Each structure stands twice: as structure tokens, then as C-alpha cells.
Amino acid sequence: MKALRLTSFGGPESFELCDLPRPVPQAGQVLVRVHATSINPLDYQVRRGDYPDLVPLPAITGHDVSGVVEEVGPGVTAFSPGDEVWYTPQIFDGPGSYAEYHVAAQGIVGKKPSSLSHLEAASLTLVGGTAWEALVVRAALRVGESILVHGGAGGVGHVAIQLARAIGARVFTTVREANFEFARSLGADVLIDYEKEDYVDAVLRETGGRGVDVVFDTIGGDTLSRSPDAAAQLGRVVSIVDIARPQNLVQAWGKNASYHFVFTRQNRGKLDELSALIERGQLRPHVGAVYSLADIPLAHARLESPNNGVRGKIAIEVGSSVS
């Protein structure tokens, strides 16, 4: 099979396209022919060496799969060859999705929503599961509450807006002015141009000084440390960003606010919940660009670039019949 293998930590040139043996499913596993995958910030963080102790080289990386079951191992009862499936491979636990075939435990695999193409489905597994765990499991966002989604035009952010809207929350988001219409189409109620206005001032103005119930941080850095300033009393701040340096989070103390840090876990349940939202027309991933397996280095370079012009996700066409 064709696979893109990471041979050293560094820039996008650290990948090589190679031929490797097709994996064989063991007990409880399914072999999936990968039709599509996508690019996440986690992908370039792994590539540049942020987690060297967790990624032995050479390695096949990648964290999204949409494809078709090719073969099942002993004991598999949930799937049969020919089933269309989607999932996130176990992070830091075996080969990833930058290959024509992938083996996964049946417990993390879900039936792909029929209304999504493989490119769309592969653009949702990791970011969708992350947004679900952050907003539903950790923040426990409820109908009638308010939420600030940092980076609403990005991969996780554009899903979080839709999820929060489906829950029945009032949605604030930070985006560049060029992305106002995109964020509004996703269901955002209050749009804040972070290049022209301080988001804390904007939130306090729009809420009469109260602040929002939940702040969802997809950016990190100073965004994490300042988010409590935009939170209401007893607010919740949820971050999916690795803390690269010490943070002073004392602002949360005066608000009786709570912090939650999310590193998403893989399971079928979240995928089934996302599928239900998709079937009801409340969630749709946005594919902002498409690259081939061989051009994943170019996709990495683009996602890492500031103001890269990508709304939603960068998807990767792996199979020959992807739509």
C-alpha cells in the first residue's frame, strides 16, 4: 500500500511517500481502505516533534479516517466488508491515517453518515469528537446559556459553533471580518473581529457586564489566560490547546470559574451522537481545501501558515473514488 511516513521530526519535508505491506486485522479489529483523511493542528505538532517520546520513528501519522471496511478480524460482529465507516485512530497508539489502509479496533469505529462524502466525514471525526467532549461532556453547556468560541472559522471552531447552536446556546465567536458571513451561516449570534476589537470588551458590552457561561479556547497562549475575564461568575473555560509555557490563571479565582483541559478520547458513542445531529441537519463539516496523499506536506505547510485562507478543514483524498 502507499503510505506517507514521517522519517524525522521537523518541517513538512520530513515525510516520504513509500510502499508498505498492507496491515492484517487481528481479533476485534477491522481493516479499512482509507478513502479520505484530513489535517489537524495535532498533525503538524506531531510532525515537528512536540511529542517525541510518544511517536517512535519512522511513523505513519494522521488522525482521521473515512473509508470502507475491507476485511474483519475474528470476533468482529459490528461491521462487515463493504460497510462505510469513519473514526479517529487511537492517538499515540499505533499507525495513523496517512495510508491507503488502516487497522482499528471495532469499538472506536462508527458507521459513516450516508449524507456525508468521504472527504466531509474525514474532516469531522477528530474535530467533531473534540468539540463534543469539550462542550457536552466537560463544559456541560445547556440550553439558554452563552458561549464564546475562539477561532470560529477553524476546524474545531466551526463545528463548535454548530454544536452550541444545536444545544440552544447563544453563540459568540472571534473571527476575522472576512469570515463574518461564514460564521453567521454556522449559527453564530455575536461576531467579534479580534483584529479590530478586544474580545473581552465586546463580550462584556454584549452581555451587560455579566460575561458568558462558557469560553471555548482553541487558540491558547494569552487567549487561555485572559478568557476568565470574559466569563461570568461560576463560568467554565474549556481548552483543547497544549500549555506550552506556564500560565497565570488567577483571574479564574475571583469568578469561581473552572478550567477544563481536553485531550479527546476515541469511542463510537461520540460518532453516533454527531451522526444524529447530521441527520437532523444541525451539523455539517466545511471542507475548505483538498489535497492528495502525496501532497500532504503542502497541506501541512498551508495549515501552519498564518491567515492561510482556509475555512473549516483541509481534507486529503487518499482513495481513487473519493467524492
Side-chain angles (χ1 to χ4, degrees):
M1 67 173 184
K2 294 290 184 184
L4 198 70
R5 187 165 58 179
L6 183 65
T7 59
S8 62
F9 296 120
E13 71 283 354
S14 302
F15 290 110
E16 67 169 11
L17 189 66
C18 58
D19 288 298
L20 297 174
R22 193 174 80 172
V24 177
Q26 304 301 309
Q29 295 181 328
V30 295
L31 173 67
V32 176
R33 182 175 181 86
V34 181
H35 283 228
T37 183
S38 73
I39 308 296
N40 304 279
L42 177 60
D43 296 327
Y44 64 69
Q45 291 163 6
V46 168
R47 187 213 71 226
R48 69 192 184 192
D50 288 12
Y51 309 100
D53 295 337
L54 300 175
V55 184
L57 298 178
I60 299 174
T61 61
H63 301 93
D64 297 280
V65 170
S66 182
V68 176
V69 175
E70 185 90 357
E71 184 182 344
V72 300
V76 173
T77 58
F79 301 98
S80 301
D83 287 344
E84 292 191 325
V85 296
W86 66 331
Y87 61 95
T88 294
Q90 291 285 12
I91 299 173
F92 302 139
D93 187 17
S97 57
Y98 293 175
E100 291 180 323
Y101 290 91
H102 186 265
V103 163
Q106 65 172 331
I108 67 170
V109 177
K111 295 288 183 69
K112 181 181 80 67
S114 59
S115 62
L116 295 187
S117 69
H118 284 294
L119 288 171
E120 290 174 317
S123 298
L124 187 57
T125 59
L126 180 59
V127 297
T130 299
W132 180 272
E133 186 151 346
L135 272 58
V136 177
V137 179
R138 305 297 292 278
L141 182 66
R142 296 184 293 273
V143 60
E145 289 193 315
S146 55
I147 181 173
L148 169 62
V149 176
H150 286 295
V156 178
H158 91 287
V159 173
I161 290 174
Q162 296 176 74
L163 179 55
R165 182 75 172 189
I167 291 171
R170 185 186 186 203
V171 184
F172 296 66
T173 190
T174 58
V175 291
R176 297 168 61 214
E177 186 175 5
N179 289 320
F180 272 16
E181 287 305 314
F182 175 63
R184 188 176 288 115
S185 73
L186 299 172
D189 299 291
V190 180
L191 308 170
I192 304 168
D193 183 352
Y194 62 86
E195 294 181 325
K196 297 180 180 179
E197 184 175 18
D198 183 276
Y199 67 85
V200 174
D201 293 342
V203 167
L204 295 179
R205 182 187 67 243
E206 293 291 333
T207 60
R210 176 183 180 274
V212 293
D213 298 292
V214 175
V215 180
F216 184 35
D217 171 31
T218 69
I219 307 297
D222 292 341
T223 301
L224 178 61
S225 59
R226 295 194 65 228
S227 284
D229 294 335
Q233 286 289 327
L234 301 176
R236 291 92 76 195
V237 178
V238 186
S239 178
I240 61 170
V241 183
D242 187 10
I243 301 177
R245 58 180 175 79
Q247 293 273 354
N248 183 356
L249 307 181
V250 70
Q251 296 96 323
W253 180 71
K255 296 282 186 75
N256 280 297
S258 60
Y259 268 92
H260 303 268
F261 296 94
V262 173
F263 185 83
T264 189
R265 298 161 292 181
Q266 285 66 61
N267 61 66
R268 185 185 303 153
K270 287 188 291 188
L271 295 173
D272 291 344
E273 297 285 2
L274 295 172
S275 292
L277 291 175
I278 292 165
E279 291 172 1
R280 294 198 295 266
Q282 294 176 299
L283 177 62
R284 192 87 187 186
H286 181 80
V287 178
V290 178
Y291 289 78
S292 69
L293 179 66
D295 285 336
I296 282 178
L298 298 178
H300 271 238
R302 183 173 181 184
L303 187 60
E304 284 183 281
S305 301
N307 301 327
N308 55 43
V310 177
R311 295 172 174 172
K313 290 296 296 295
I314 296 177
I316 304 298
E317 182 176 340
V318 179
S320 58
S321 59
V322 180
S323 61

